[in-house]
Amino acid sequence: PADAVLTCALPEIVLESQVSGGREPYILQWTSSQGAMLGSESLLDVETPGIYVLTATGANGISASTSVEVGQDIEPPSVTVASSGELTCAVTEIALSSAVTGGRAPFVYQWTNEDGSIVGSESGFRASEPGEYALSVTGSNGCSDSATIVVAQDITPPVIATAVDGVLTCSVSEVTASAVASGGRAPYAFTWLNSAGQEVGDNDSLPVSDPGVYTVIVIGGNGCSSAATIDVEQDIEPPVV
């Protein structure tokens, strides 16, 4: 018999005797290296590493022995996974990466989502949906390891409260429209548009000298946005004498 190796993929092997010469019929005897009797057939099932000895005795009483060493390779890989960040309104896809140590290359990779569906077969994966992802890595010896990672998502838009501090009149030629943002993620960026859609300001407050409907767009640090409108009124009706 030839030397063999037990692995995670091959937990059991069969040793087969090959006897020639001498005088048939043969009496076969399999023993361990410690001399324990293991079998007397031509085939021997082996699940434990070690040295196995086969002794064949011919009809003329003459014996011959040979040995085979059964090794074992069951070292699993060690897997870690990491992400490049979280999903937001501005970041719609992130990279998941893996690092593997130990085990036996080459490795087979399998990414699955939280539904158990296979979504990737490379060492890295690009995720566009939030949730838990699992990576299973199997070495050439059939031994495997797995790791999980949760992909977070922040797509909460800001909430806008608007106000105007007065009404345009013959004596009040300018009022101030203001916006207060909350929720979502700071810092906030403000853009004011007039009724024609033209950009007229980029702060949280806007001096206004013309009546009309103004729109403020607020974008949070996560790229999510909200919009609100405010109506600046004007009262310039003169008295009738």
Side-chain angles (χ1 to χ4, degrees):
D3 291 348
V5 178
L6 297 167
T7 65
C8 296
L10 188 65
E12 179 181 274
I13 61 176
V14 177
L15 300 181
E16 181 179 0
S17 63
Q18 294 179 344
V19 183
S20 61
R23 295 288 182 269
E24 297 186 34
Y26 305 112
I27 297 175
L28 303 178
Q29 181 174 288
W30 292 93
T31 57
S32 68
S33 57
Q34 290 79 31
M37 177 68 177
L38 302 174
S40 58
E41 303 296 330
S42 62
L43 302 178
L44 179 68
D45 294 334
V46 174
E47 299 177 349
T48 306
I51 296 176
Y52 294 83
V53 179
L54 171 64
T55 301
T57 303
N60 57 6
I62 300 176
S63 299
S65 297
T66 187
S67 64
V68 59
E69 183 173 3
V70 175
Q72 188 175 52
D73 179 7
I74 55 172
E75 180 188 354
S78 177
V79 184
T80 58
V81 293
S83 74
S84 62
E86 66 177 1
L87 297 170
T88 66
C89 294
V91 180
T92 58
E93 187 177 83
I94 62 170
L96 302 183
S97 59
S98 65
V100 180
T101 57
R104 295 290 176 266
F107 300 106
V108 175
Y109 298 85
Q110 181 174 283
W111 291 90
T112 55
N113 60 18
E114 56 190 13
D115 296 327
S117 301
I118 299 174
V119 293
S121 58
E122 303 293 335
S123 60
F125 171 69
R126 300 196 68 84
S128 58
E129 297 290 338
E132 185 176 84
Y133 292 84
L135 172 63
S136 175
V137 177
T138 304
S140 59
N141 59 1
C143 302
S144 62
D145 188 29
S146 63
T148 60
I149 190 169
V150 175
V151 174
Q153 185 178 53
D154 178 6
I155 54 172
T156 303
V159 176
I160 308 172
T162 58
V164 62
D165 66 354
V167 177
L168 295 171
T169 66
C170 295
S171 60
V172 178
S173 60
E174 184 179 276
V175 296
T176 299
S178 60
V180 176
S182 61
R185 181 187 296 182
Y188 305 107
F190 296 82
T191 300
W192 291 89
L193 306 175
N194 61 19
S195 57
Q198 299 168 321
E199 184 174 336
V200 292
D202 57 5
N203 294 310
D204 58 356
S205 62
L206 177 71
V208 178
S209 56
D210 295 313
V213 176
Y214 291 81
T215 301
V216 59
I217 301 171
V218 179
I219 302 176
N222 58 3
C224 302
S225 63
S226 296
T229 58
I230 189 169
D231 189 3
V232 175
E233 298 178 344
Q234 184 178 56
D235 181 5
I236 55 173
E237 183 181 351
V240 176
V241 179

